[in-house]
């Protein structure tokens, strides 16, 4: 027997808008004014509203959906992840509903509530630490939830990723083994993965008896930001002889600045990036990097989500590992 459900009229009343506006928000949220959308999302989050799957005004019955949250649309690593996800969803008749949360935990919470309102069948997240309220939404959703890009200890969720701490440690050890002694870490947004890589770097340099050094712009990584970080680092750490970057685009910016300043790479300055992006493999010299399985993470996580949806037996924790490439910058 069905219990009484909250209706669009209820949401409209609580949000102070019309039922038509609520319906438009659920179908095409980008067409609703930001302030109004936030009011509706807040109400949906508070009451835990999930649209009736039989209601054609709020759901698309032709294809089931998988929700995906990424922290940035401007980062190549998430494009590769999405390609892996859609290689599976398209083959099995699913649509992907992809939203961005700008590396902001509060924004992620709001986007989780918004995506869940679309009656999705599964959800893929790129973060493993969430707000208390977001955790409540996820636990109450009663759908398969996957967390990717890193390893977690959380039970009850699908987890497909690699060890960011160990990757940071191992690449730092490679830089030190090449004879460098003053390795500096270039971070980005200080998200959980960035912090784990930094922790690995810090432990590696301290184990070798050297001090740690770090620059964190708290901005989405880019080539231009890497160039600016290099300029600052040369002032703060004049003795540095190696740099580990949390993303390859930063490392490419560092390489460009070294070439412009006449700094020999790798003889005077060794450079390592992260993720093995195409941009770093196309430089001269070719960039050293931690090669991460982004496409495979998306693919494997989605395959497991679909098995859970279909109530098929499956594993839930997968470590896809990484590999180190010395390129020609170490």
């Amino acid at each position: 027997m069905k219990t009484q459900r909250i209706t669009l009229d209820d949401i409209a009343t609580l949000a102070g808008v019309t039922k038509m506006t609520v319906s438009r928000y659920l179908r095409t949220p980008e067409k609703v004014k930001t302030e109004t959308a936030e009011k509706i999302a807040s109400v949906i989050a508070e009451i835990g509203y999930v649209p009736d799957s039989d209601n054609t005004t709020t759901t698309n019955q032709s294809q089931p959906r998988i929700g995906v949250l990424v922290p940035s649309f401007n980062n190549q690593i998430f494009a590769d992840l999405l390609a892996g996800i859609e290689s599976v969803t398209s083959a099995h008749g699913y649509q992907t509903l992809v939203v961005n949360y700008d590396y902001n935990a509060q924004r992620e919470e709001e986007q989780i509530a918004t995506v869940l309102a679309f009656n999705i069948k599964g959800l893929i997240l790129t973060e493993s630490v969430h707000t208390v309220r977001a955790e409540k939404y996820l636990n109450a959703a009663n759908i398969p939830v996957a967390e990717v890009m890193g390893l977690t200890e959380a039970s009850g969720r699908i987890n497909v990723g690699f060890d960011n701490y160990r990757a940071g440690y191992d690449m730092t050890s490679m830089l030190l083994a090449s004879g460098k002694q003053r390795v500096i870490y270039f971070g980005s947004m200080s998200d959980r993965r960035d912090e784990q890589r930094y922790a690995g770097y810090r432990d590696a340099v301290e184990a070798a008896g050297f001090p740690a050094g770090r620059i964190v712009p708290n901005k989405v990584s880019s080539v231009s930001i890497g160039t600016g970080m290099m300029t600052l680092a040369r002032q703060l750490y004049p003795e540095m002889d190696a740099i580990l970057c949390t993303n390859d685009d930063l490392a490419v910016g560092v390489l460009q600045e070294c070439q412009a300043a006449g700094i020999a790479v790798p003889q005077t300055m060794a450079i390592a990036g992260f993720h093995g992006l195409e941009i770093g493999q196309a430089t001269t010299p070719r960039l050293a990097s931690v090669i991460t399985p982004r496409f495979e993470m998306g693919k494997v996580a989605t395959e497991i989500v679909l098995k859970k949806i279909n109530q098929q037996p499956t594993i839930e924790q997968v470590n896809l590992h990484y590999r180190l490439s010395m390129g020609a910058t170490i």
Side-chain angles (χ1 to χ4, degrees):
M1 177 182 293
K2 278 192 172 183
T3 57
Q4 183 176 356
R5 295 178 62 89
I6 294 169
T7 66
L8 297 189
D9 284 322
D10 296 326
I11 296 174
T13 299
L14 292 171
V17 299
T18 66
K19 177 181 176 180
M20 184 179 296
T21 301
V22 175
S23 178
R24 184 184 302 115
Y25 170 80
L26 292 174
R27 288 182 286 110
T28 53
E30 69 277 4
K31 294 183 179 180
V32 179
K33 290 182 179 179
T34 301
E35 182 178 352
T36 301
E38 290 176 351
K39 287 181 181 178
I40 297 172
S42 178
V43 170
I44 288 173
E46 288 292 338
I47 64 180
Y49 173 78
V50 177
D52 190 331
S53 60
D54 295 327
N55 186 345
T56 59
T57 67
T58 61
T59 60
N60 181 348
Q61 295 187 74
S62 62
Q63 285 185 292
R65 289 171 169 170
I66 300 294
V68 184
L69 269 69
V70 297
S72 172
F73 287 144
N74 298 318
N75 196 322
Q76 179 64 39
I77 65 173
F78 300 112
D80 295 336
L81 178 75
L82 289 172
I85 291 170
E86 295 195 338
S87 72
V88 178
T89 56
S90 61
H92 289 80
Y94 281 77
Q95 290 181 327
T96 52
L97 178 58
V98 185
V99 296
N100 166 39
Y101 60 90
D102 297 318
Y103 288 96
N104 182 285
Q106 184 62 40
R107 176 69 171 159
E108 187 204 36
E109 174 190 302
E110 295 167 358
Q111 293 288 50
I112 287 173
T114 299
V115 171
L116 289 175
F118 281 86
N119 197 39
I120 57 174
K121 302 301 182 183
L123 182 61
I124 298 175
L125 305 174
T126 49
E127 194 60 70
S128 59
V129 178
H130 317 283
T131 66
V132 172
R133 182 173 291 180
E135 284 288 350
K136 290 181 179 179
Y137 300 157
L138 294 172
N139 293 333
N142 197 31
I143 59 173
V145 176
E147 295 172 336
V148 300
M149 298 297 295
L151 300 181
T152 72
E153 300 297 329
S155 60
R157 287 191 191 145
I158 299 160
N159 177 220
V160 180
F162 64 95
D163 191 334
N164 282 276
Y165 169 88
R166 179 52 58 180
Y169 189 101
D170 288 348
M171 181 52 88
T172 304
S173 298
M174 180 179 286
L175 287 165
L176 293 168
S178 73
K180 303 304 183 184
Q181 298 185 352
R182 193 67 173 100
V183 185
I184 304 301
Y185 183 86
F186 281 20
S188 180
M189 289 297 299
S190 298
D191 59 299
R192 180 174 175 81
R193 293 180 295 276
D194 194 2
E195 291 294 330
Q196 290 172 334
R197 292 168 200 163
Y198 171 71
Y201 150 83
R202 181 196 61 219
D203 289 352
V205 295
E206 291 180 353
F210 301 117
R214 182 187 193 187
I215 295 181
V216 185
N218 287 314
K219 296 179 180 179
V220 177
S221 64
S222 69
V223 173
S224 61
I225 289 175
T227 299
M229 292 171 73
M230 180 58 179
T231 301
L232 177 60
R234 291 178 67 191
Q235 299 173 24
L236 295 178
Y237 304 106
E239 72 282 14
M240 70 179 178
D241 56 9
I243 298 168
L244 172 59
C245 298
T246 194
N247 206 346
D248 278 352
D249 49 8
L250 291 178
V252 171
V254 170
L255 177 59
Q256 289 182 352
E257 182 64 14
C258 285
Q259 292 173 333
I263 300 171
V265 177
Q267 294 84 355
T268 302
M269 187 72 63
I271 305 168
F274 213 99
H275 286 305
L277 301 183
E278 184 177 357
I279 187 175
Q281 301 308 297
T283 59
T284 303
R286 186 166 55 88
L287 189 67
S289 190
V290 177
I291 312 298
T292 59
R294 300 173 304 282
F295 181 93
E296 290 77 8
M297 280 188 284
K299 180 177 182 291
V300 172
T302 308
E303 289 172 341
I304 296 174
V305 166
L306 295 190
K307 286 183 179 179
K308 296 284 284 187
I309 290 171
N310 295 319
Q311 298 183 332
Q312 298 172 342
T314 181
I315 57 175
E316 296 185 354
Q317 306 287 322
V318 181
N319 183 349
L320 290 178
H321 303 286
Y322 56 87
R323 61 184 178 88
L324 304 183
S325 170
M326 289 186 65
T329 56
I330 295 181

